[in-house]
């Protein structure tokens, strides 16, 4: 399985990827997670990316493309992969096409998770994450048992710097302007699959399985 998960921040790309992984253990490549790991480790890449991330802006294409190229060459990608949060611009999509061609690979689907801006703002302002293990919580739908403490590892559970409402609005504007055009890009390639992102945590897995059975 080689797929792309497309959708606004907060559409649930990570959640859908987690559910797919339970059944198809392919590599889950989240460019946001790779960048956050670099920020946490204090690498040069992380220090540079943090400024963009905190402002809700996209990190430069060359940086992201280089990062994904390296990642796709790792052995765990041989059996397949899910790209979560990449590509986010037309140059990134074109670079991915070029790279896959070089590797002799093709995408099975580009899954668009459709969701309204207001649902996104509601989901992200209440989203929290464990600083230690990355487990995701929500103050309304999945609160921690003890306030601010991770149920799984006891780490501290905090709000992401870019999950403040002003930054979320900026990220949404960037999505509509720079990433939404990719929907037409993949429709033109005949691999676009549109899914209602309010349809539950297994909705992408179910849709892909129904499609494969046809
Ligand atoms: P995410 O966790 O996917 O919402 O990503 C968090 C932030 O990381 C984004 O708001 C961007 O600043 C940066 N980022 C992640 N993926 C990309 C990408 N493909 N291109 C540019 N910036 C990215």
């Amino acid at each position: 399985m080689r797929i792309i998960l497309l959708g606004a921040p907060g559409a649930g790309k990570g959640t859908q990827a987690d559910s797919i992984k339970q059944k198809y253990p392919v590599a889950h490549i989240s460019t946001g997670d790779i960048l956050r790991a670099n920020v946490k480790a204090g690498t040069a890449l992380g220090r540079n990316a943090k400024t963009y991330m905190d402002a809700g802006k996209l990190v430069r294409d060359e940086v992201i493309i280089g990062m994904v190229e390296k990642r796709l060459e790792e052995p765990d990608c041989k059996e397949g992969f899910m790209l979560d949060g990449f590509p986010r611009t037309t140059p990134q999509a074109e670079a991915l096409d070029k790279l896959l061609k070089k590797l002799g690979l093709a995408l099975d689907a580009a899954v668009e998770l459709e969701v309204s801006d207001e649902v996104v703002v509601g989901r992200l302002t209440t989203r929290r994450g464990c600083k230690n293990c990355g487990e995701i919580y929500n103050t309304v739908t999945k609160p921690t048992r003890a306030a601010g403490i991770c149920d799984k590892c006891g780490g501290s559970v905090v709000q992401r710097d870019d999950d403040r409402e002003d930054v979320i609005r900026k990220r949404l504007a960037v999505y509509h302007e720079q990433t939404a055009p990719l929907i037409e890009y993949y429709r033109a390639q005949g691999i676009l699959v549109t899914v209602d992102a309010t349809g539950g945590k297994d909705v992408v897995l179910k849709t892909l399985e129904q499609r494969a059975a046809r």
Side-chain angles (χ1 to χ4, degrees), residues 7-10 13 30-36 49-61 64-65 67-68 84-89 92 124 127 160 162-163 167 171 174 179:
K13 300 185 289 294
S30 156
T31 42
D33 283 351
I34 299 174
L35 291 170
R36 279 184 290 279
K50 189 168 181 356
T51 327
Y52 294 92
M53 294 166 81
D54 286 351
K57 294 182 184 164
L58 294 185
V59 176
R60 289 199 344 268
D61 283 337
I64 299 287
I65 292 166
M67 208 172 83
V68 173
D84 160 1
F86 177 91
R88 256 175 156 103
T89 64
Q92 290 182 16
L124 294 189
R127 175 164 77 175
R160 257 168 62 171
D162 60 351
D163 277 349
V167 186
R171 288 162 66 202
V174 167
T179 309

Side-chain angles (χ1 to χ4, degrees), residues 21-194:
K21 259 191 306 193
Q22 305 292 318
K23 190 135 185 216
Y24 303 95
V26 294
H28 173 197
I29 305 174
S30 156
T31 42
D33 283 351
I34 299 174
L35 291 170
R36 279 184 290 279
N38 275 275
V39 171
K40 199 172 166 193
T43 66
L45 167 67
R47 284 196 301 276
N48 177 275
K50 189 168 181 356
T51 327
Y52 294 92
M53 294 166 81
D54 286 351
K57 294 182 184 164
L58 294 185
V59 176
R60 289 199 344 268
D61 283 337
E62 311 84 83
V63 174
I64 299 287
I65 292 166
M67 208 172 83
V68 173
E69 277 188 3
K70 240 172 78 190
R71 182 65 186 88
L72 284 176
E73 280 163 10
E74 286 178 29
D76 65 329
C77 296
K78 286 232 157 45
E79 300 305 318
F81 54 78
M82 289 180 279
L83 286 167
D84 160 1
F86 177 91
R88 256 175 156 103
T89 64
T90 304
Q92 290 182 16
E94 288 168 350
L96 176 64
D97 279 349
K98 229 166 107 183
L99 176 67
L100 292 177
K101 203 168 161 196
K102 196 174 91 188
L103 298 171
L105 301 173
L107 292 170
D108 299 310
V111 182
E112 175 205 1
L113 284 161
E114 215 176 24
V115 65
S116 75
D117 286 6
E118 288 323 303
V119 168
V120 164
V121 173
R123 278 184 187 173
L124 294 189
T125 48
T126 52
R127 175 164 77 175
R128 300 292 182 270
C130 175
K131 266 171 106 169
N132 182 45
C133 72
E135 181 71 8
I136 301 294
Y137 294 93
N138 185 288
T139 56
V140 179
T141 57
K142 189 188 168 194
T144 52
R145 283 195 295 267
I149 309 286
C150 180
D151 294 352
K152 276 197 163 167
C153 76
S156 67
V157 171
V158 296
Q159 184 172 38
R160 257 168 62 171
D161 289 340
D162 60 351
D163 277 349
R164 295 194 329 263
E165 185 165 346
D166 56 328
V167 186
I168 295 166
R169 299 262 177 213
K170 172 71 191 165
R171 288 162 66 202
L172 279 168
V174 167
Y175 173 77
H176 290 300
E177 192 186 313
Q178 301 196 58
T179 309
L182 297 185
I183 294 165
E184 292 313 316
Y185 183 93
Y186 288 113
R187 197 193 308 277
Q189 291 193 3
I191 57 167
L192 184 76
V193 177
T194 301

